[in-house]
Amino acid sequence: MHLLDAGDLPPAVEEALVQVATSTAEQNVGMASVFTIMAAIQDELNGHLEACLEQLKNISERAKREEEEADRRKMEGTRVSVESFIAWKFRFDAERKKLKPKEVELVGSRRLTGRQMFEENANLDMSDAQFMEEGDEAADIDDREGAALDEEFDHELFEQELLNEDGDSD
């Protein structure tokens, strides 16, 4: 017995199907057994399909576990011992010594802080004074606001409330 069109079935599966069909046909000699043979072949195909799905599931789970393990190892880093720290510190100090001349140049080209500007340039102490001299007159904002508030405030209402409170307490 052989299959007419096996399609994309692997040869091992094709051989297993032919063997199942042959053994089922031999067991049912003399009977109408087309349905029985087809049911046996279908059961065999379902078994192979389940095995393939299980393999795919195992492969994907293994890949996921390996990815998680790689992420965990990446986050874990290297363990630090006294010896490894001393070796790292030695390399780090050597790199810092190499960078020292470059750092000095960077400090010289860096912008000065406000305090450093005032310490280096005495003219900055009086720089705002010239703006005060150029203006018309110095304004006292607090007095103007107080006068405006005083004009809006109705003293009579306040006095009436005080009288009412004194009258209520008797």
Side-chain angles (χ1 to χ4, degrees):
M1 189 182 283
H2 69 283
L3 297 177
L4 294 178
D5 184 18
D8 293 333
L9 287 177
V13 174
E14 187 177 340
E15 290 175 23
L17 292 177
V18 170
Q19 183 181 1
V20 166
T22 304
S23 66
T24 306
E26 288 173 357
Q27 291 172 2
N28 294 308
V29 173
M31 293 188 230
S33 59
V34 173
F35 178 76
T36 308
I37 294 172
M38 291 306 296
I41 291 174
Q42 188 173 11
D43 287 343
E44 185 69 21
L45 278 174
N46 286 339
H48 284 290
L49 177 64
E50 288 175 7
C52 289
L53 290 176
E54 187 68 28
Q55 285 178 346
L56 287 175
K57 181 180 173 184
N58 290 340
I59 289 171
S60 68
E61 287 176 357
R62 186 175 354 130
K64 186 177 179 180
R65 269 187 273 125
E66 288 173 357
E67 182 180 332
E68 289 173 355
E69 181 70 21
D71 287 342
R72 188 182 58 75
R73 276 186 267 131
K74 186 188 314 180
M75 293 301 203
E76 187 175 284
T78 57
R79 300 202 184 269
V80 178
S81 64
V82 174
E83 295 83 20
S84 65
F85 175 76
I86 292 171
W88 170 83
K89 179 75 168 132
F90 182 75
R91 289 191 310 268
F92 181 76
D93 290 341
E95 287 179 22
R96 295 286 294 180
K97 286 180 182 177
K98 289 178 186 177
L99 294 177
K100 273 291 188 198
K102 293 179 183 177
E103 288 178 0
V104 171
E105 291 174 16
L106 290 175
V107 169
S109 66
R110 191 173 50 181
R111 291 182 54 180
L112 298 175
T113 64
R115 181 178 181 158
Q116 291 170 340
M117 286 182 194
F118 277 102
E119 288 174 352
E120 290 182 8
N121 189 352
N123 293 333
L124 291 177
D125 290 340
M126 299 302 295
S127 65
D128 288 341
Q130 69 181 359
F131 293 116
M132 293 297 292
E133 292 172 5
E134 290 175 6
D136 292 335
E137 59 183 68
D140 190 5
I141 296 173
D142 292 335
D143 287 342
R144 288 185 185 174
E145 288 179 2
L149 287 175
D150 197 34
E151 291 173 5
E152 295 174 12
F153 186 69
D154 189 1
H155 294 283
E156 290 178 17
L157 290 174
F158 184 68
E159 290 171 1
Q160 287 176 355
E161 283 186 23
L162 284 176
L163 290 174
N164 289 338
E165 287 178 8
D166 289 339
D168 291 337
S169 63
D170 289 334

